[in-house]
Amino acid sequence: MPLRFLLLDDNPDDRLLARRELERHFPDCATTEVGDSKGFEEVAAAGFPFDLVITDYQMRWTTGLDVLKLIKAHDPQLSVIMFTATGTQEIAVEAMKHGLDDYVIKSPRHYARLPVAVRTCLDRTEIRSRAIRSETRLASLLENIQLGVFRMSLDGEIEAGNKAFWSMLGLASGEYSKAAHRPLIDEVRRHIADLKATLDAADLQFDDGDLGTGGRAFKVKLVRVRVNGHDAVDGIAEDVTSLRRADLEILRLNADLEQRIATRTRQLQEANEALETFGFSVSHDMREPLRTIQGYANVLKQDFAEGNLDKAGLYIHRIEAVAHRVDTMVTDLLEFARLSRTEIAIDAVPVADALHEMKGSLHGEIQQARARLEFDVPSGLTVRAHRQTFVQALANLVSNALKFVRPGEPPVVRVTAAQAGSMVRVTVTDEGIGIVPSALGRIFNVFERLHSEEEYPGTGIGLAIVKKGVERMGGQVAVESTPGNGSAFSIDLPAPAQP
Ligand code: ADP
């Protein structure tokens, strides 16, 4: 776009000479000449669409000073040069006060000065508008960034702050008074003391409360600056709450994970140890009957070689009996292993129903032992259990109660049940031989038996099955016993949730 000049002068010769000078130096310029009030009103009505105005001082219809005031009132950035032969120094000073950009004396010697003044004015305007542009850009950036930018005097007074800064403080712009305290500002003030004494810059990290309950975290950078002859501190504050919360969450999750890994590792170690013990006792206890079979086989072999077969029938019978026992042990062991492995479905099972089923399955044993069996169970009492596993556990306990009595004595077995809080306890009490206190801790282990096969037959897995089954249903087992006076085995299982 060509440079647009407005030339105001009521003397057409002066205009011609001035125009000539302008066009010599600015070949592309478009110069509008105005020599009367009508022409001036027209350009004023058009909003002074010019890059620069050159005006005479004394005109028939106005003065350069009035023209200047009008133009500057309309657009303070539009450059005005006064080019006059009639002006005085006083007029020049007055005009400068009203924003005149330059003053050139109109005389043949000075015509050449006009384009120089024009060039200087145009350059100055360009520099000014560039400065304004970058200042506006900076100001808008400052207002719109998420960082709080502020300046504070060395005695802690806030001198300036952008929008983000005020909103970090929870205040509307400028609402802050020196007396008001905000944790963020108090923290910055504490550090200003250091800046005053020794430092040029400081970084601080600060939480204004517990991040878990609405507190916020800030990172602040402070730099000591010198502004217009006095020291101040420029600060940039960043709200890092979400970052810090994420960090804390990661720490918490890590700790949680470590805790879970530790628990799992411990459980695995325990399971490993249990498995080792189990393997050891299984191999140990299974070998014993096998050795017995081997022993009888050897004796049979010797007798056979010596042609003495008197006791062969007895030995074969013993071998059969021991083989049968091994078979029972393997069956029980498989049942125990199945219980550890298979999924079991938990339902509400009425205790009375389970006892009824158990009694049916032990009918023969009960009859044979001429036992007295008593149940004391509130009607409607239910437990959360896997029906078959629960019945099996009860059967194992009652079967033991029938078995471990003094020879010839008819067993007396009592089953009671009651709810205690969220659990139901079912207790099987007998008046049998009882258990020595030192053995109470181990009778629930696989193959753990306190008596010989002759005294009381069994495989030693019954109680292990009870314990494993009850634990898989979310319950636990316990025993109390007095040797010679009987034992009480109890099963605790969860009661169904109240509707
Ligand atoms: P088993 O009955 O096959 O021997 P269990 O695992 O059921 O195996 O029982 C383990 C051991 O605990 C029994 O051998 C016995 O010594 C002891 N025991 C279990 N129940 C009773 C009871 N009611 N009275 C006395 N001793 C018992």
Side-chain angles (χ1 to χ4, degrees):
M1 197 155 134
L3 284 167
R4 297 156 307 166
F5 298 135
L6 171 64
L7 196 55
L8 286 169
D9 201 319
D10 51 8
N11 182 333
D13 297 323
D14 284 351
R15 289 205 303 269
L16 189 71
L17 287 170
R19 174 192 274 266
R20 188 178 155 272
E21 275 308 316
L22 289 173
E23 285 175 353
R24 243 164 39 110
H25 286 84
F26 305 98
D28 285 340
C29 71
T31 306
T32 304
E33 292 180 32
V34 166
D36 53 23
S37 63
K38 189 166 159 286
F40 185 72
E41 276 158 22
E42 274 170 20
V43 291
F48 299 109
F50 304 104
D51 298 304
L52 185 129
V53 178
I54 298 157
T55 181
D56 190 12
Y57 178 72
Q58 195 60 62
M59 289 172 280
R60 272 190 309 279
W61 41 280
T62 186
T63 68
L65 200 59
D66 288 338
V67 167
L68 172 74
K69 287 180 192 167
L70 255 163
I71 290 176
K72 290 288 178 184
H74 170 76
D75 176 5
Q77 307 302 330
L78 182 54
S79 300
V80 179
I81 295 174
M82 208 172 270
F83 185 49
T84 177
T86 51
T88 60
Q89 215 167 7
E90 288 72 36
I91 290 169
V93 171
E94 179 66 11
M96 288 292 181
K97 279 189 203 156
H98 285 91
L100 185 72
D101 293 85
D102 210 346
Y103 188 93
V104 181
I105 294 168
K106 198 193 284 179
S107 76
R109 271 191 309 123
H110 285 101
Y111 268 93
R113 270 213 56 220
L114 184 61
V116 178
V118 168
R119 167 56 60 210
T120 312
C121 272
L122 289 175
D123 287 352
R124 211 186 298 138
T125 309
E126 174 61 19
I127 289 167
R128 204 162 44 213
S129 69
R130 245 190 253 161
I132 288 170
R133 269 202 307 275
S134 59
E135 204 178 299
T136 318
R137 209 165 136 237
L138 201 70
S140 120
L141 255 174
L142 267 182
E143 277 313 283
N144 292 306
I145 48 169
Q146 298 296 317
L147 296 173
V149 181
F150 61 95
R151 175 165 292 165
M152 207 183 251
S153 68
L154 284 190
D155 56 6
E157 188 153 11
I158 298 173
E159 295 178 346
N162 69 347
K163 205 159 86 191
F165 173 69
W166 294 115
S167 91
M168 273 176 191
L169 297 181
L171 296 169
S173 297
E175 209 178 79
Y176 190 86
S177 80
K178 195 180 172 189
H181 282 271
R182 283 288 185 280
L184 174 64
I185 290 308
D186 292 344
E187 185 68 12
V188 169
R189 282 182 181 144
R190 263 195 291 283
H191 280 76
I192 285 185
D194 290 343
L195 283 175
K196 247 188 204 167
T198 47
L199 301 172
D200 281 336
D203 285 305
L204 49 131
Q205 183 129 19
F206 159 73
D207 297 350
D208 72 1
D210 182 357
L211 297 188
T213 54
R216 290 183 309 160
F218 298 98
K219 246 179 164 172
V220 187
K221 211 172 199 27
L222 299 175
V223 187
R224 187 179 168 140
V225 288
R226 195 155 175 83
V227 199
N228 299 334
H230 78 284
D231 280 334
V233 173
D234 271 349
I236 297 177
E238 188 183 355
D239 187 331
V240 291
T241 311
S242 45
L243 269 176
R244 285 285 312 285
R245 283 216 183 105
D247 279 352
L248 290 178
E249 183 62 8
I250 288 172
L251 283 179
R252 195 187 63 72
L253 286 175
N254 269 346
D256 200 40
L257 199 66
E258 264 169 39
Q259 173 66 40
R260 273 159 58 192
I261 290 173
T263 311
R264 276 291 150 78
T265 310
R266 203 180 53 246
Q267 284 170 345
L268 273 176
Q269 270 166 354
E270 282 169 11
N272 242 345
E273 281 161 20
L275 204 66
E276 258 173 40
T277 318
F278 179 75
F280 177 77
S281 75
V282 167
S283 54
H284 176 267
D285 289 85
M286 295 292 252
R287 269 207 188 113
E288 191 193 279
L290 290 178
R291 260 199 316 274
T292 310
I293 292 175
Q294 245 166 4
Y296 282 123
N298 281 339
V299 175
L300 260 178
K301 211 156 66 182
Q302 274 174 18
D303 285 3
F304 189 71
E306 290 164 9
N308 171 14
L309 295 176
D310 295 352
K311 288 195 173 156
L314 173 70
Y315 295 151
I316 289 169
H317 177 72
R318 290 303 303 151
I319 287 176
E320 273 173 352
V322 177
H324 177 70
R325 183 167 144 72
V326 173
D327 187 52
T328 317
M329 282 168 87
V330 170
T331 310
D332 284 359
L333 206 55
L334 283 175
E335 170 61 17
F336 178 75
R338 190 190 60 78
L339 205 55
S340 322
R341 222 180 40 237
T342 48
E343 278 299 315
I344 52 171
I346 305 290
D347 277 319
V349 180
V351 178
D353 287 7
L355 286 175
H356 184 72
E357 221 170 288
M358 175 277 291
K359 203 173 158 188
S361 74
L362 293 182
H363 182 71
E365 276 180 60
I366 296 168
Q367 290 288 82
Q368 206 183 357
R370 288 179 291 113
R372 198 167 89 220
L373 212 60
E374 289 170 11
F375 295 160
D376 181 5
V377 176
S379 68
L381 186 67
T382 49
V383 288
R384 291 199 39 80
H386 177 244
R387 190 181 183 101
Q388 194 192 328
T389 308
F390 182 38
V391 171
Q392 169 86 66
L394 291 170
N396 288 7
L397 293 184
V398 172
S399 168
N400 280 351
L402 297 175
K403 184 164 60 174
F404 294 103
V405 289
R406 284 162 289 271
E409 195 176 285
V412 177
V413 185
R414 207 175 134 71
V415 183
T416 56
Q419 180 156 356
S422 62
M423 303 297 272
V424 168
R425 171 166 291 189
V426 183
T427 310
V428 177
T429 313
D430 64 53
E431 296 177 1
I433 59 171
I435 303 159
V436 288
S438 62
L440 288 177
R442 31 185 184 97
I443 52 174
F444 289 96
N445 293 342
V446 168
F447 291 142
E448 195 70 50
R449 313 203 64 238
L450 307 177
H451 307 277
S452 72
E453 178 71 9
E454 283 74 38
E455 267 182 299
Y456 295 102
T459 57
I461 300 184
L463 286 181
I465 288 177
V466 174
K467 185 171 184 319
K468 173 69 72 183
V470 169
E471 283 175 355
R472 287 225 47 204
M473 294 187 289
Q476 53 194 30
V477 290
V479 57
E480 283 176 12
S481 184
T482 318
N485 260 341
S487 317
F489 286 83
S490 61
I491 292 176
D492 287 345
L493 283 172
Q498 295 302 321

